[in-house]
Amino acid sequence: MSNYVEMWKELGMDLETHDALCQVLPTAFGDMYLSQENRPEGMGFWDFVVSEIHGIRPSELIEAQKNGQKVFGTFCVYVPDEVVLAANGIVTGLCGGSQFWVPGGEKVLPKSTCPLIKASVGARLERTCPFFRIADMYVGETTCDGKKKAWEILGQDVPMHIMDMPQMKRPQDIEKWADEIKIFAKVVEDFTGNAITPEKLSEGIHVINERRKALKRVYDARKSKNIPISGKDALLMMQIAFFDDPVRCAEMANKLADELEQRNKDNVSVFPAGTKRILVTGTPMAIPNWKLHHLIETSGAAVVCEETCTGTRYFENLVDETKTTLEEQYAAIADRYMGINCACFTPNSGRVDDILRLAKEYDVDGVIDVNLKFCCLYDTEGYTVEKAMKDAGIPVLGIETDYTDEDAEQLRTRIEAFVEML
Ligand code: BJ8
């Protein structure tokens, strides 16, 4: 990634600390990813993106900025990308998934904050992530308390817009969310200088729906008895979807889906027959958090689906494309996004329904419910999730972890014991 040094310098990054990050990532990726056998050829694209993770997409974003486009950094799957696209803006995810950034976050946040928030704040304050440097505006949301307060720190020297999320899903809450989307659209229009018309919004909705469909095709291929792709590889595709151009993301995911569908016809599996199938549910796994998937897939099981925001919550359900006025379109967008079942809502019984449905669709042998340490929402909901699984006769294992490797061996012992009893 050395050819990007000039760009990083111009972005005002801390090059020395960033170098240390650049050194650990390839080793971790090599150990966890490149060691897998018989990976789909289509993964070559994502391997390449990872090898240039702080170079290739950042340089595209800077190029786009030179042409007048604005970049919006987001932290949650409730923030509607289609609105930004409609004003010729670009969205990039900003959630931090590396322990490397956590100590930086801990300098300003309580230690008892979830690692995703600490890593995001650390990446920003220590100036070691180009995406944080590039984004012209950050878009936060009022989901969990940790994030709500983090916006006040993150937004100190960058324009920040915060979307006020409802906490329930009554009709009046969905209406309120449509209003909030309208307010966001106005902010985006003012910031980009581009008007959002029904035509432009239609295009934006279409592009994001196409991305959803393509990602879903890859997931659908994972429902096969045969396992055509590892959970780790599917997770990587999902993680990079948050950063990539949505049209290219759809194109690459469709190509991968073609290959996986062919693999299913040819009975090509990346795991031996009889490997236990696991559904992972819980908190999101931002790149490069591959820890749990790696542990599961080196403990005799395979991850075949993720009910997380770096999984099905990102792409399930489409926005209705038949609406023609802005008012109707915002309502349709609100409807689709309120179909996401995050633990920040109460009640959130839709999530349990989703997990039960997915467990059936993906024919899983067991569910692993993962919680990022100090995420009180998913931790509390774990009680309901695990009870529902037990009631349905689905074996379930609850895990709480962070980004460090300290608990890896202890987790491995628990996962191996769980897989053995399936
Ligand atoms: S829709 S899961 S992306 S809020 S893990 S930061 S909740 S303390 S990330 Fe999330 Fe949107 Fe919900 Fe998805 Fe807080 Fe929990 Fe940390 Fe979390």
Side-chain angles (χ1 to χ4, degrees):
M1 291 212 282
S2 52
N3 347 348
Y4 299 110
V5 172
E6 271 315 306
M7 174 181 83
W8 295 330
K9 246 192 229 165
E10 277 172 32
L11 287 172
M13 290 173 61
D14 174 346
L15 293 185
E16 217 174 291
T17 317
H18 184 246
D19 264 2
L21 175 62
C22 291
Q23 268 156 23
V24 289
L25 193 67
T27 319
F29 190 70
D31 289 351
M32 293 194 201
Y33 274 85
L34 305 179
S35 57
Q36 299 178 97
E37 276 171 30
N38 198 15
R39 298 175 70 211
E41 270 177 37
M43 287 311 296
F45 168 71
W46 286 279
D47 289 352
F48 169 67
V49 175
V50 171
S51 72
E52 308 251 323
I53 190 108
H54 279 180
I56 189 146
R57 184 64 178 152
S59 55
E60 282 182 1
L61 294 177
I62 291 170
E63 224 20 66
Q65 283 173 321
K66 284 185 188 149
N67 293 325
Q69 285 185 277
K70 296 282 185 209
V71 177
F72 294 76
T74 62
F75 302 83
C76 178
V77 299
Y78 279 102
V79 174
D81 291 0
E82 33 282 88
V83 171
V84 175
L85 254 58
N88 199 27
I90 302 175
V91 180
T92 186
L94 288 180
C95 291
S98 170
Q99 176 60 26
F100 186 85
W101 290 313
V102 168
E106 287 179 343
K107 285 184 191 158
V108 293
L109 297 169
K111 280 213 163 58
S112 57
T113 304
C114 101
L116 190 147
I117 301 174
K118 288 191 285 197
S120 304
V121 170
R124 167 67 195 166
L125 297 186
E126 308 249 284
R127 296 180 290 115
T128 44
C129 173
F131 292 97
F132 272 94
R133 310 293 303 166
I134 290 169
D136 297 294
M137 176 182 269
Y138 297 166
V139 187
E141 12 57 46
T142 55
T143 45
C144 67
D145 288 353
K147 278 180 164 183
K148 271 191 277 199
K149 297 320 281 180
W151 308 143
E152 293 164 21
I153 298 171
L154 279 174
Q156 270 167 6
D157 52 357
V158 187
M160 158 80 83
H161 175 72
I162 301 168
M163 297 187 76
D164 187 13
M165 293 266 307
Q167 305 193 353
M168 298 176 79
K169 291 180 179 170
R170 300 161 304 179
Q172 64 265 42
D173 299 313
I174 299 174
E175 242 172 70
K176 179 184 171 289
W177 185 236
D179 282 343
E180 197 60 29
I181 293 172
K182 243 185 281 172
I183 295 169
F184 177 50
K186 177 80 176 70
V187 170
V188 172
E189 281 183 318
D190 290 347
F191 197 68
T192 56
N194 298 324
I196 295 178
T197 61
E199 294 70 34
K200 285 271 163 210
L201 190 51
S202 264
E203 275 170 38
I205 291 171
H206 181 69
V207 166
I208 301 301
N209 272 348
E210 290 304 303
R211 178 175 70 189
R212 293 187 180 112
K213 288 183 203 163
L215 297 172
K216 183 171 184 309
R217 271 189 71 204
V218 170
Y219 268 60
D220 283 346
R222 300 170 76 194
K223 292 177 182 169
S224 151
K225 207 174 167 43
N226 187 68
I227 305 175
I229 182 170
S230 67
K232 261 191 294 192
D233 277 336
L235 175 65
L236 181 64
M237 171 195 76
M238 290 302 300
Q239 291 172 328
I240 290 174
F242 287 80
F243 297 88
D244 203 3
D245 170 68
V247 174
R248 179 173 49 208
C249 172
E251 187 190 320
M252 292 301 161
N254 272 323
K255 240 196 214 161
L256 178 62
D258 290 341
E259 188 182 351
L260 301 186
E261 286 162 12
Q262 190 57 46
R263 280 186 159 204
N264 286 341
K265 278 187 203 141
D266 301 340
N267 273 321
V268 177
S269 180
V270 288
F271 291 98
T275 299
K276 299 297 178 196
R277 303 166 69 90
I278 302 292
L279 166 72
V280 167
T281 180
T283 43
M285 297 170 183
I287 197 166
N289 179 10
W290 305 307
K291 178 177 167 179
L292 187 70
H293 277 54
H294 183 65
L295 281 170
I296 296 171
E297 295 196 330
T298 50
S299 298
V303 179
V304 293
C305 181
E306 297 82 12
E307 190 282 320
T308 63
C309 288
T310 39
T312 55
R313 278 182 235 141
Y314 188 54
F315 61 75
E316 279 202 326
N317 305 322
L318 301 175
V319 176
D320 185 347
E321 292 190 35
T322 63
K323 306 296 177 196
T324 50
T325 66
L326 285 175
E327 204 65 26
E328 292 171 338
Q329 287 168 316
Y330 291 135
I333 294 172
D335 264 347
R336 186 267 157 193
Y337 281 85
M338 283 292 121
I340 302 170
N341 295 312
C342 170
C344 61
F345 282 86
T346 188
N348 191 36
S349 52
R351 176 155 167 247
V352 168
D353 297 343
D354 285 344
I355 302 169
L356 289 169
R357 169 178 55 83
L358 293 167
K360 216 184 227 171
E361 283 179 12
Y362 288 79
D363 192 19
V364 306
D365 298 291
V367 169
I368 295 187
D369 178 27
V370 60
N371 186 56
L372 274 176
K373 227 182 212 160
F374 306 119
C375 176
C376 172
L377 293 168
Y378 280 86
D379 195 8
T380 309
E381 200 161 279
Y383 168 78
T384 316
V385 168
E386 286 161 36
K387 182 171 179 310
M389 294 309 117
K390 281 179 194 149
D391 291 349
I394 302 169
V396 59
L397 173 70
I399 278 180
E400 182 165 71
T401 187
D402 57 16
Y403 291 170
T404 67
D405 276 331
E406 281 158 23
D407 58 353
E409 284 321 303
Q410 188 208 341
L411 287 180
R412 180 181 297 286
T413 310
R414 290 184 60 207
I415 293 167
E416 278 175 354
F418 178 66
V419 172
E420 201 129 294
M421 60 139 246
L422 292 176

